[in-house]
Amino acid sequence: MLGNFTYSNPTRLHFGDKSLEMLKEELALFGKNVLLTYGGGSIKKTGLYDEIVKILNDCGKKITELPGVMPNPTVEKLYEGAKLARESEAELILAVGGGSVCDYSKAVSVSAYCNEDPWEKYYIKQEDVDNKIIPVGCVLTMVGTGSEMNGGAVITNHAAKLKIGHVFGDNVFPKFAVLNPKLTYTLPKYQMVAGFFDIMNHITEQYFSGTDDNTSDYLMEGLMKSLVVSSKEAVKNPENYEARSNIMWIATWALNTLVAKGKTTDWMVHMIGQAVGAYTDATHGMTLAAVALPYYRHIMPYGTEKFKRFAVNVWNINPECKDDISIAEEGLKAMESWMKEIGLVMKTSELGMTEDMIEGIADAVFLLDGGYKKLTREEVIEILKESM
Ligand code: NZQ
Ligand code: ZN
């Protein structure tokens, strides 16, 4: 393990089909005023909303509701939430939903008492929080982002055509998260598999960096292998508890800072995918799926050794009598077959991206240097064209 780092993760996880029973114990640790955030209505259809409200009432909480958190939450919605959190004197923000609701709740938690425009402060200037933070707890209903155990909070500004994440420190991580795999059964297949690719890509973003022998890489190989097995099962039978529970657990560990330790990490698929998302408002995991292969094929020559290891260790490619490039290519081909098998969108054109958007999207891509090759703007354009 190279480098120096501190590892700490303050989020308490309650996992399993009975995990919601732990919510009462958690609620006892926080004040009376609860801001209940949720999305566009799935929790009302599934009955989860009624269950949560009952638990909150039983615990004597005063509930202020903040519904309508959209996928890819917007800056306007952030302003609305920050105001409501302040006015209701929220002592806990309880996020019930997917990554969007969890991310949004963290963004609200740091914005309620922020004296500046939070978009400018946290997203444009990427400044740290220096004001009161309202604690957040999550009941997760969609798997993929890892938001339940990390400090990420991605906000979209449609007017500026920007989708930007801020990775806050552990003072902003959810204080607790309830992970009941059965709550994910009702996800439409499109969202389910988009989440699966989000998980895979969180891992590859961290895996494809560095050349040292690093324990994190071995952990990630295990997570990826488990994901491939369970995702195929889940597509065949969405109510396969074993598969869905494995995937829920993998998603959390894929992006809760553990496997990033000792790694420089890449994140360029996310940078390009998020810029596509800023223009199209497409589902996060699908934007990643559509740009990942053109990106990886582009950088593979700069990190061939690792792509070869990926092929052999994750996809069981037989390396005998083959040169490194062929092995590496076979690994990406195997990933492509898996992506098609589970039903991912493989083209940005199918997500609403058009040729005339490419220049603007390229301008919105942050060029990072943690992977095997720092891209130029021209290379981003090439990758975007190939992704159509
Ligand atoms: O809004 P409702 O009605 O609840 O419907 C949601 C939404 O339409 C639906 N859904 C969620 N759980 C459901 C369900 N439908 C039926 N049954 C259930 N159990 O699914 C749709 C998508 O939900 P959303 O929360 O948007 O998905 P996801 O979890 O993928 O979150 C995406 C957001 O997270 C950000 C993305 O950029 C995007 O804004 N990310 C956050 C990260 C982090 N915190 O570290 C990292 C990721 O890379 C990602 O960028
Ligand atoms: Zn992601």
Side-chain angles (χ1 to χ4, degrees):
M1 297 290 284
L2 298 181
N4 299 278
F5 55 80
T6 302
Y7 178 75
S8 139
N9 195 315
T11 306
R12 227 173 0 262
L13 293 180
H14 303 288
F15 190 92
D17 61 351
K18 302 206 168 34
S19 52
L20 196 56
E21 291 171 10
M22 300 304 291
L23 183 58
K24 265 193 182 146
E25 282 184 30
E26 287 293 350
L27 290 173
L29 304 175
F30 301 92
K32 192 175 161 64
N33 297 337
V34 176
L35 184 67
L36 175 62
T37 53
Y38 56 96
S42 73
I43 67 161
K44 290 205 167 160
K45 281 194 212 125
T46 60
L48 180 61
Y49 169 86
D50 292 334
E51 270 186 86
I52 299 277
V53 167
K54 182 173 183 321
I55 295 169
L56 286 166
N57 284 331
D58 288 350
C59 294
K61 301 295 179 182
K62 179 165 176 267
I63 308 170
T64 302
E65 293 202 24
L66 178 40
V69 180
M70 61 292 282
N72 311 317
T74 63
V75 68
E76 292 78 14
K77 188 74 184 169
L78 172 60
Y79 297 146
E80 178 198 327
K83 187 164 175 281
L84 191 59
R86 198 173 52 246
E87 286 173 358
S88 65
E89 296 176 13
E91 291 161 285
L92 173 72
I93 303 176
L94 184 62
V96 183
S100 292
V101 179
C102 295
D103 273 27
Y104 173 77
S105 301
K106 286 180 255 177
V108 168
S109 81
V110 297
S111 301
Y113 296 98
C114 178
N115 293 324
E116 299 164 55
D117 175 353
W119 170 257
E120 281 297 319
K121 181 177 170 71
Y122 300 127
Y123 294 91
I124 298 297
K125 295 193 267 179
Q126 291 285 320
E127 286 177 7
D128 288 338
V129 195
D130 49 16
N131 49 255
K132 179 176 161 184
I133 300 168
I134 304 170
V136 172
C138 301
V139 177
L140 198 65
T141 64
M142 150 105 198
V143 165
T145 64
S147 188
E148 65 277 13
M149 204 186 190
N150 70 34
V154 183
I155 294 294
T156 298
N157 184 328
H158 287 296
K161 287 201 158 46
L162 289 171
K163 180 176 183 184
I164 306 180
H166 187 123
V167 181
F168 292 98
D170 62 11
N171 49 353
V172 181
F173 282 37
K175 299 290 177 244
F176 65 88
V178 171
L179 307 182
N180 177 351
K182 287 191 175 166
L183 295 180
T184 68
Y185 285 176
T186 51
L187 270 172
K189 187 188 172 209
Y190 187 89
Q191 294 296 339
M192 177 181 81
V193 298
F196 295 172
F197 192 74
D198 196 20
I199 304 168
M200 174 58 87
N201 191 238
H202 291 158
I203 304 173
T204 52
E205 297 273 29
Q206 299 169 89
Y207 184 77
F208 289 121
S209 68
T211 51
D212 57 316
D213 184 53
N214 187 318
T215 302
S216 293
D217 289 330
Y218 297 85
L219 291 173
M220 287 190 270
E221 285 165 357
L223 292 173
M224 287 189 274
K225 286 168 89 155
S226 179
L227 176 64
V228 172
V229 172
S230 287
S231 59
K232 290 181 183 178
E233 283 303 320
V235 166
K236 276 189 249 153
N237 176 10
E239 300 206 358
N240 180 328
Y241 183 82
E242 194 173 57
R244 298 303 287 269
S245 58
N246 282 335
I247 294 167
M248 193 167 218
W249 195 228
I250 298 163
T252 300
W253 289 93
L255 195 54
N256 71 356
T257 77
L258 175 82
V259 299
K261 294 303 164 200
K263 304 282 304 175
T264 50
T265 72
D266 182 346
W267 294 109
M268 280 314 297
V269 174
H270 269 68
M271 292 305 106
I272 301 172
Q274 275 176 205
V276 171
Y279 274 70
T280 60
D281 207 26
T283 296
H284 172 66
M286 292 306 187
T287 63
L288 306 175
V291 303
L293 282 163
Y295 173 71
Y296 286 130
R297 294 201 161 111
H298 190 89
I299 58 149
M300 190 263 279
Y302 304 93
T304 311
E305 258 311 301
K306 196 55 166 290
F307 281 90
K308 181 182 153 193
R309 174 171 163 173
F310 177 66
V312 175
N313 290 0
V314 179
W315 300 100
N316 303 319
I317 302 300
N318 179 356
E320 275 170 36
C321 310
K322 290 172 198 158
D323 61 65
D324 291 357
I325 295 276
S326 310
I327 300 164
E329 277 169 355
E330 273 192 55
L332 291 177
K333 267 240 141 294
M335 182 164 85
E336 183 173 5
S337 303
W338 167 74
M339 291 168 73
K340 288 180 176 161
E341 182 180 337
I342 64 171
L344 292 163
V345 175
M346 306 296 284
K347 299 255 168 254
T348 46
S349 50
E350 290 171 37
L351 298 171
M353 189 180 101
T354 48
E355 193 93 40
D356 58 306
M357 293 178 184
I358 287 183
E359 294 284 330
I361 292 175
D363 288 336
V365 173
F366 294 88
L367 300 172
L368 308 177
D369 59 4
Y372 290 122
K373 161 91 177 68
K374 183 169 181 191
L375 296 183
T376 62
R377 186 176 179 278
E378 290 64 41
E379 288 175 302
V380 172
I381 290 177
E382 237 175 84
I383 290 163
L384 286 168
K385 284 187 177 161
E386 280 166 26
S387 75
M388 291 198 72

